[in-house]
Amino acid sequence: MKAGCSIVEKPEGGGGYQFPDWAYKTESSPGSRQIQLWHFILELLQKEEFRHVIAWQQGEYGEFVIKDPDEVARLWGRRKCKPQMNYDKLSRALRYYYNKRILHKTKGKRFTYKFNFNKLVMPNYPFINIRSSGVVPQSAPPVPTASSRFHFPPLDTHSPTNDVQPGRFSASSLTASGQESGNGTDRKAELPELEDGSTTDWRRGVDLLSSRSAVGGGIGHQKRKPDIMLPLFTRPGMYPDPHSPFAVSPLPGRGGVLNVPLSPALSLTPTIFSYSPSPGLSPFTSSSCFSFNPEEMKHYLHSQACSVFNYHLSPRTFPRYPGLMVPPLQCQMHPEESAQFSIKLQPPPAGRKNRERVESSEESAPVTAPTMAPVPPRIKVEPASDKDPESLRQLVREEERSHGEGAVPSRTIDEEKGTVFARPAAPVWPSLSMSTPSEEPLEVTEDSEDRPGREPSAPEKKEDALMPPKLRLKRRWNDDPEARELSKNGKFLWSGSGPQGLATAAADA
DNA sequence: AGCGGAATCG
DNA sequence: CGATTCCGCT
């Protein structure tokens, strides 16, 4: 039946979509390879041909704008063989993602949504799946361990729409550059260096992993859904695909432009990895599979933090790395870094000069993409004054320290952005890092959303408890009044209480 | 425009 | 289960 659908869009042949089969349905219907909407969105986002229709919003991590809703709907309908699809329906589907935390709406901006970092599965990066044994699901490539170099395929240059076979990731980098492959546990990473000169691009992929299971003593039951993500920042290359997680250009990008991440596509963080293709094994227990480069990690975490902060994501979603601590908000860090973060890039006013105009008929796609972007459009750089999370954060932190009150920084956040979520919970990083006694983590939490710990004062917690499960999922950090409130009083402790030391902090310099 | 319940489908 | 469809409400 579905066969009837025209195939044009899909490659078939083995599923050549970008996602390896195992990526399609993680758990539920194994056989079905239905593509999920968010995969599709990501896919479109990845291709230049659709820039007119949907594109990453520069400036915000993971945020994208549907420029032509009807078209997107049409494309989606096509893909799913649902000719009747329209934006209204599609958007409903999108809305379902809110609760799943895959997406959330960017308020105030029409047709703009944002991928929730943390909690996505990046199908394209099979490496995440890595299992120690090395067995990877079919098409998955070997797992690169060194995070630094994930080589992504040579860009999609061609065939955007279809093809791209899954196996093409080169994993050449299996080597962990010397980091230790021995045990992940210790890899705490200290990264002293900040590097970042210009060359280092931001797009670093990092992988993640985090399962508490590894540490947890084996709770193997992770049943969550897939979560995982990979971060990646790309450089300003602008559209070549800078953001997309998918294709990151392998090249370091010439440093021509600033190294600011323009649009990152998503980052991922797994909260847990439940998503292993094969349920039987636990993902990385052996640990040797991954080793990350501290540097990257640092960036990654950092950005995560920023994202979380920015988007009011639930802190709970913050990744927990087994041996790592996230530097609390040092978002504002060194000059270099800070510089990066503090500016906001903006593309020229959409002048579509560069943008291509054509795209031919839909997805049939040309395979000719030039790949490189023509251009580095000039970018406007402006100080990120408003909404600069980093600074805010910092301020807040300071305040916190001083008064314990989370007074808002002078900068004042605007309503939305300023909101911070309510206590992020201390126990966030349960496992190794903290010596904190709490062991509660054992359970769950993953899903359960926020409510970090159980603290007495948490009203929300109570509510959550009372709330039917279904509703529990619904909490939105977006603008949950409560959260807002809490945030006011609450403090962030992303790491505040812990041994602050954090290794990773390393960065601190 | 956007939200989300409800029923339903595959 | 994840969408699709429909729809009332804001």
Side-chain angles (χ1 to χ4, degrees), chain A residues 162-214:
Chain A
N162 327 264
D163 35 49
V164 173
Q165 3 208 255
R168 67 203 236 236
F169 305 74
S170 44
S172 18
S173 37
L174 271 183
T175 77
S177 43
Q179 290 242 4
E180 60 194 6
S181 17
N183 43 134
T185 359
D186 356 177
R187 60 176 30 89
K188 300 190 132 253
E190 332 275 331
L191 7 149
E193 34 185 18
L194 276 193
E195 98 316 6
D196 112 354
S198 24
T199 17
T200 60
D201 358 292
W202 281 73
R203 73 145 182 304
R204 350 191 124 262
V206 178
D207 326 329
L208 25 48
L209 33 116
S210 59
S211 49
R212 328 147 151 316
S213 49

Side-chain angles (χ1 to χ4, degrees), chain A residues 22 58 116 122 139 144 159 181 197 206 264 293 303 319 335 346 396 447 495:
Chain A
W22 52 269
Q58 291 98 354
N116 190 349
M122 234 16 224
S139 14
S159 60
S181 17
V206 178
N293 175 336
S303 57
Q346 273 184 349
V396 176
D447 211 6
S495 55

Side-chain angles (χ1 to χ4, degrees), chain A residues 8 27 46 59 95 139 314 326 421:
Chain A
V8 206
E27 329 191 341
Q46 169 194 15
R95 275 179 247 129
S139 14
S314 155
V326 174
F421 10 84

Side-chain angles (χ1 to χ4, degrees), chain A residues 2-37:
Chain A
K2 290 344 212 102
C5 232
S6 42
I7 7 196
V8 206
E9 310 211 6
K10 3 183 109 246
E12 2 298 356
Y17 230 105
Q18 324 208 242
F19 311 105
D21 337 81
W22 52 269
Y24 282 77
K25 275 299 186 145
T26 55
E27 329 191 341
S28 12
S29 9
S32 72
R33 22 171 71 180
Q34 267 210 8
I35 186 166
Q36 284 183 276
L37 178 57

Side-chain angles (χ1 to χ4, degrees), chain A residues 56 61-63 115 117 232-234 242-246 263-267:
Chain A
W56 291 109
Y61 292 116
E63 194 171 277
F115 276 98
F117 298 110
L232 353 109
F233 299 87
T234 36
H243 349 290
S244 58
F246 305 105
S263 3
L266 337 141
S267 50

Side-chain angles (χ1 to χ4, degrees), chain A residues 40-57:
Chain A
F40 181 77
I41 296 288
L42 244 26
E43 191 178 296
L44 293 182
L45 248 13
Q46 169 194 15
K47 309 176 174 164
E48 290 181 53
E49 310 94 272
F50 301 105
R51 254 186 2 228
H52 283 154
V53 195
I54 186 173
W56 291 109
Q57 174 82 309

